[in-house]
């Protein structure tokens, strides 16, 4: 429903995906960071397009536009979010990686399979020394 804090209804601006944030402090400026985000989500409606971005602090480092398809059944359809990447932050200060999403068209897009508490999610950041 529209009152679900995890749900995007109507055209929306980017918003944090609940639980999809991870902090890390690299030990060397030459280190790379492998980040991995996985969570379930669901779509309800037709012609729904979603945009998902990965931020390092406030900087966008990855972006994807996805068309979720056309749903002719009045029900929620599963839509997994899986994002992996390697970043070169060039710092030894603490940094935060997170994903944000927005939607357009259709009806609703919700995270974690519309509030189903049995679904799992993961946000992982691993330093790779070079």
């Amino acid at each position: 429903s529209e009152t679900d804090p995890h749900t995007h209804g109507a055209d929306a601006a980017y918003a944090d995906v609940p639980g999809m944030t991870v902090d890390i402090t690299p030990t060397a400026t030459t280190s790379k960071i492998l980040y991995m985000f996985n969570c379930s989500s669901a779509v309800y409606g037709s012609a729904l397009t979603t945009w998902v971005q990965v931020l390092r602090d406030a900087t966008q480092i990855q972006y994807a536009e996805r068309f979720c398809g056309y749903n002719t059944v009045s029900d929620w359809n599963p839509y997994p979010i899986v994002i992996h990447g390697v970043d070169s932050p060039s710092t030894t200060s603490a940094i935060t990686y997170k994903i944000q999403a927005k939607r357009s068209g259709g009806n609703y897009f919700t995270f974690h399979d519309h509030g189903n508490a049995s679904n799992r999610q993961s946000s992982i950041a691993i330093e790779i020394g070079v």
Side-chain angles (χ1 to χ4, degrees):
S1 75
E2 232 5 289
T3 59
D4 183 339
H6 301 160
T7 300
H8 287 276
D11 290 347
Y14 276 111
D16 293 352
V17 176
M20 297 284 95
T21 301
V22 63
D23 299 318
I24 191 168
T25 303
T27 59
T29 58
T30 56
S31 293
K32 304 227 184 263
I33 305 296
L34 169 64
Y35 57 85
M36 298 176 280
F37 296 101
N38 302 283
C39 73
S40 60
S41 68
V43 296
Y44 184 97
S46 59
L48 182 64
T49 302
T50 63
W51 292 268
V52 179
Q53 67 180 0
V54 177
L55 300 180
R56 177 196 338 108
D57 295 327
T59 303
Q60 181 190 72
I61 58 171
Q62 189 174 353
Y63 162 85
E65 179 180 345
R66 300 175 183 182
F67 178 65
C68 297
Y70 188 80
N71 177 2
T72 59
V73 179
S74 294
D75 199 1
W76 290 92
N77 287 335
Y79 180 68
I81 295 176
V82 179
I83 300 173
H84 300 163
V86 177
D87 185 36
S88 301
S90 300
T91 186
T92 56
S93 298
I95 50 179
T96 298
Y97 291 93
K98 67 180 177 179
I99 60 173
Q100 294 184 326
K102 69 177 182 175
R103 52 146 323 272
S104 175
N107 290 316
Y108 300 101
F109 172 56
T110 187
F111 304 106
H112 313 306
D113 199 15
H114 199 52
N116 184 343
S118 67
N119 286 302
R120 301 294 181 247
Q121 64 199 31
S122 63
S123 302
I124 300 169
I126 301 170
E127 181 176 11
I128 303 169
V130 292

